[in-house]
Amino acid sequence: MSKFIFVTGGVVSSLGKGITAASVGRLLKSHGLSVTIVKCDPYINVDAGTMAPLQHGEVFVTDDGAETDLDLGYYERFLDITVGRDNIITAGKVYQSVISKEREGKYLGQTVQVIPHITNEIKERFFKASKGYDITIIEIGGTVGDIESLPFLEAARQMRPDRNHNDTIYIHVTLIPYLSSSDELKTKPTQHSVNKLREIGIDPDIIVCRTEKSLSREIKNKIALFCSVPQEAVIEAPNAPSIYHVPDILKKQGINEQIMMLLRLRSKKWDYEEWSSYVSKLTESANRPSVKIAIAGKYTQLKDSYKSLVEALEQAGIANEINIDFSFLDVQHKNFQTDIKKVDGIVVPGGFGDRGIEGKIDTVKFARENNIPFLGICLGMQCAVIEFARNVLNLKKAHSTEFNKKTPHKVVDIMEAQKTVKEKGGTMRLGAYSCALKPSSLAKKIYGKSAIKERHRHRYEFNPKYMTACAKKGLITSGIHKKMNLPEMVELKNHPWFLAVQFHPEFKSRPLSSHPLFDSFIRASIKQSKTSGKRKEFKI
Ligand code: GLN
């Protein structure tokens, strides 16, 4: 049976609970234990798929097609594991399942209540996700004191009395604010949030304190005293140079040893080398020369909207010993055309809706005509096809039926299987699908194999009817999902690096194994950075 570690948050949101949970996971994995992580999201949405990226950051997609919170991306990246739909528990999903069991008559005679029915449903999901792992880390979203997260906290509380005392521990991540006027760190909000946790019946075993300034021994003693934990269980978490430094910061204060002791576990080995060498490479890359990469999208106000993409590009930068200088270009803004002239590589990322679509198509044209390395992702590939049809095949009114239902040239069209879909939630083409790569294509060369699997999230596709016409003029389909005859990758002949994909490769890039597509794109951009200046004038 798995041991459980619950991670809760106090005082304010956005403290980095997900990073703390993932960092603890990385450390325990280094001890030779098998670790999985689960996120509890207290919102009523059944999944994150129907939420705008500007509200919650990107929607992370798993191999098995779950649309989740971006924290699951951190879990995969930190632990180098593959998570799935069992690793995300939303209040919406829990209530939906309890209500449908009630309708089926499974609780006949009973009044269905939050305790025990909702909490039992939550606990069943904890156990399901934990099967086969030594350790299950469960991050509870929201802040202690919120109404929404109460059923999750209650379920977490019950896990200790339900089982042996040493099978469950609680880590509380909290904030120690600094008041500049009195030059003081304040512990009161932490005391209050721990009290709140106690009211619910949870006694935290470890307190992780987010702080801008180092905590003195005196402050640590005070927190320990008021929160009833040993002094060494007060862990300081200052702002780190990068999120990947957090495991190190926690390790230096012995968090892993304390957890092992509390859970009565023995270390099987200590294997931290790979992680620390990645962190050293990351630190060194800050002083390296830069390559300028544009992300031409429309969610530029919230960088978390492109989290996995940025991470994948950074990981490829580190692998190629170069710094990435990002420029987030809002394609709806008129200045973007001037800004795009200065870059070494262009990414048009995924997206929905027609806002900024013409700007994205113009961006592709610029990359194509000026030999700038170009990577199109999902909507980015669809834009590449539209641009090529309009400007090379001369089908001036070519478009996607997502944006113009009446276009005479439906070069991007809704997939057959999507035509009958009525409900929006969870109905896109989601998760990992196989893709066969064309011999002697750039795609095949990059992946070094002829079959791959990548993750999808879309309803529209490059209309196969236009594949031959495009190929004749130089835009070849280099990847295909054979079973359904869906074009998955296109690339330009006679261009240094122009590749667009219907899937989201960014979801599979990991710090310890950067993704071949991003790797190759960054190498092409480095090459480009050496020749820039010789570029044609920008005209669209
Ligand atoms: N809106 C497009 C579609 O549904 C692209 C989706 C995406 O970029 N993830 O096909």
Side-chain angles (χ1 to χ4, degrees):
M1 275 269 251
S2 182
K3 305 255 183 185
F4 286 87
I5 301 173
F6 288 94
V7 179
T8 55
V11 185
V12 290
S13 58
S14 308
L15 281 179
K17 274 193 309 267
I19 304 296
T20 308
S23 300
V24 164
R26 168 45 65 178
L27 293 173
L28 296 176
K29 194 176 169 181
S30 306
H31 280 289
L33 299 165
S34 60
V35 184
T36 188
I37 314 199
V38 175
K39 171 91 193 263
C40 296
D41 262 325
Y43 46 69
I44 305 295
N45 301 59
V46 172
D47 58 41
T50 51
M51 281 189 258
L54 281 177
Q55 291 215 349
H56 263 269
E58 83 176 0
V59 175
F60 185 80
V61 180
T62 57
D63 263 355
D64 64 0
E67 296 175 281
T68 76
D69 187 88
L70 53 77
D71 274 325
L72 272 80
Y74 290 126
Y75 301 167
E76 289 204 340
R77 293 190 279 267
F78 272 72
L79 280 126
D80 214 358
I81 54 171
T82 300
V83 296
R85 43 183 80 248
D86 289 341
N87 298 75
I88 177 91
I89 310 177
T90 64
K93 221 196 267 184
V94 170
Y95 276 86
Q96 191 185 46
S97 131
V98 169
I99 291 169
S100 70
K101 282 183 192 162
E102 187 275 331
R103 292 289 82 187
E104 285 163 30
K106 292 216 169 115
Y107 307 112
L108 263 194
Q110 295 178 39
T111 308
V112 180
Q113 292 177 302
V114 172
I115 307 171
H117 301 96
I118 294 291
T119 46
N120 282 352
E121 177 77 29
I122 295 173
K123 285 195 291 180
E124 271 166 34
R125 286 167 189 262
F126 290 166
F127 287 120
K128 188 168 178 223
S130 74
K131 275 214 179 82
Y133 293 95
D134 297 325
I135 305 271
T136 305
I137 300 174
I138 300 186
E139 179 197 348
I140 301 192
T143 307
V144 172
D146 294 349
I147 293 176
E148 280 87 354
S149 54
L150 276 175
F152 287 108
L153 291 167
E154 171 58 17
R157 180 197 71 77
Q158 292 175 15
M159 292 290 282
R160 189 169 251 179
D162 274 1
R163 315 172 71 228
N164 287 334
H165 192 84
N166 302 323
D167 287 346
T168 307
I169 61 163
Y170 303 93
I171 299 178
H172 190 53
V173 184
T174 177
L175 176 72
I176 308 292
Y178 169 69
L179 291 191
S180 56
S181 52
S182 55
D183 188 25
E184 261 184 309
L185 287 164
K186 300 306 250 180
T187 64
K188 192 75 80 191
T190 293
Q191 294 176 38
H192 281 303
S193 92
V194 169
N195 281 344
K196 201 87 211 150
L197 206 52
R198 288 242 177 74
E199 279 171 27
I200 301 165
I202 295 176
D203 270 323
D205 299 284
I206 293 174
I207 315 262
V208 174
C209 302
R210 293 284 288 110
T211 172
E212 278 174 43
K213 305 243 167 200
S214 187
L215 305 182
S216 64
R217 180 169 286 272
E218 208 187 341
I219 297 259
K220 281 192 178 175
N221 275 339
K222 195 169 169 189
I223 299 169
L225 179 70
F226 280 97
C227 302
S228 297
V229 294
Q231 207 218 80
E232 67 271 16
V234 178
I235 306 278
E236 179 177 317
N239 293 337
S242 91
I243 54 171
Y244 295 106
H245 285 78
V246 177
D248 240 25
I249 293 171
L250 301 181
K251 174 174 74 75
K252 286 202 179 106
Q253 298 171 75
I255 199 171
N256 43 322
E257 270 127 31
Q258 290 188 51
I259 294 172
M260 303 285 281
M261 190 196 67
L262 288 162
L263 293 174
R264 307 283 188 271
L265 284 170
R266 258 203 208 127
S267 179
K268 295 185 184 163
K269 58 176 179 182
W270 181 245
D271 182 5
Y272 192 65
E273 184 46 39
E274 231 188 336
W275 190 263
S276 53
S277 80
Y278 175 74
V279 176
S280 331
K281 272 198 225 148
L282 185 153
T283 315
E284 284 159 25
S285 80
N287 304 319
R288 296 227 159 94
S290 300
V291 65
K292 206 169 169 79
I293 302 295
I295 298 185
K298 66 170 182 179
Y299 307 122
T300 48
Q301 304 100 298
L302 182 66
K303 303 288 178 282
D304 274 1
S305 311
Y306 298 119
K307 194 79 224 174
S308 293
L309 176 59
V310 168
E311 290 268 322
L313 288 162
E314 274 175 349
Q315 285 149 17
I318 290 163
N320 287 291
E321 305 187 340
I322 196 125
N323 209 7
I324 310 282
D325 180 4
F326 287 101
S327 94
F328 289 90
L329 301 182
D330 184 347
V331 289
Q332 298 163 105
H333 199 279
K334 54 182 184 323
N335 278 350
F336 98 92
Q337 297 188 350
T338 333
D339 296 340
I340 210 157
K341 284 193 222 172
K342 303 169 199 151
V343 303
D344 307 312
I346 297 174
V347 181
V348 174
F352 295 83
D354 63 354
R355 248 182 336 115
I357 197 77
E358 292 304 323
K360 290 179 193 178
I361 294 169
D362 288 346
T363 304
V364 181
K365 182 169 189 264
F366 175 69
R368 181 176 59 79
E369 290 184 338
N370 292 281
N371 288 334
I372 314 289
F374 168 81
L375 173 61
I377 295 178
C378 207
L379 182 61
M381 163 164 157
Q382 297 170 359
C383 290
V385 169
I386 298 167
E387 190 280 319
F388 195 81
R390 284 185 189 174
N391 301 319
V392 180
L393 304 186
N394 231 354
L395 307 172
K396 290 293 174 217
K397 290 191 173 156
H399 218 325
S400 161
T401 49
E402 181 179 3
F403 313 120
N404 177 4
K405 294 222 162 10
K406 295 200 185 106
T407 169
H409 309 292
K410 300 176 176 164
V411 291
V412 174
D413 200 3
I414 189 139
M415 283 179 277
E416 206 44 51
Q418 289 287 325
K419 287 186 178 157
T420 49
V421 167
K422 294 231 161 49
E423 282 186 5
K424 285 248 188 291
T427 55
M428 281 188 249
R429 179 176 181 233
L430 290 168
Y433 284 89
S434 61
C435 169
L437 305 181
K438 194 178 166 71
S440 71
S441 61
L442 174 64
K444 165 96 196 292
K445 201 170 138 210
I446 290 172
Y447 279 96
K449 48 185 168 185
S450 32
I452 54 159
K453 264 192 168 176
E454 292 281 6
R455 300 182 191 172
H456 295 252
R457 182 171 186 253
H458 63 117
R459 294 188 203 277
Y460 292 79
E461 61 162 338
F462 170 21
N463 188 344
K465 284 183 200 147
Y466 290 87
M467 254 160 52
T468 319
C470 285
K472 270 192 191 146
K473 293 278 185 183
L475 185 72
I476 62 161
T477 299
S478 49
I480 211 151
H481 175 63
K482 284 196 173 147
K483 214 160 148 199
M484 289 150 82
N485 192 33
L486 296 175
E488 307 275 38
M489 299 176 91
V490 294
E491 62 188 56
L492 263 187
K493 287 197 219 152
N494 307 323
H495 188 286
W497 207 101
F498 186 108
L499 210 119
V501 295
Q502 189 55 73
F503 46 78
H504 290 270
E506 68 272 28
F507 293 142
K508 283 180 69 169
S509 180
R510 309 253 169 102
L512 302 184
S513 48
S514 66
H515 194 288
L517 263 187
F518 289 98
D519 241 20
S520 173
F521 170 68
I522 290 299
R523 277 199 298 277
S525 305
I526 296 172
K527 222 168 167 187
Q528 169 65 29
S529 71
K530 297 186 176 138
T531 59
S532 51
K534 295 180 195 151
R535 191 172 304 166
K536 276 200 288 174
E537 245 332 274
F538 185 31
K539 48 177 185 336
I540 46 179

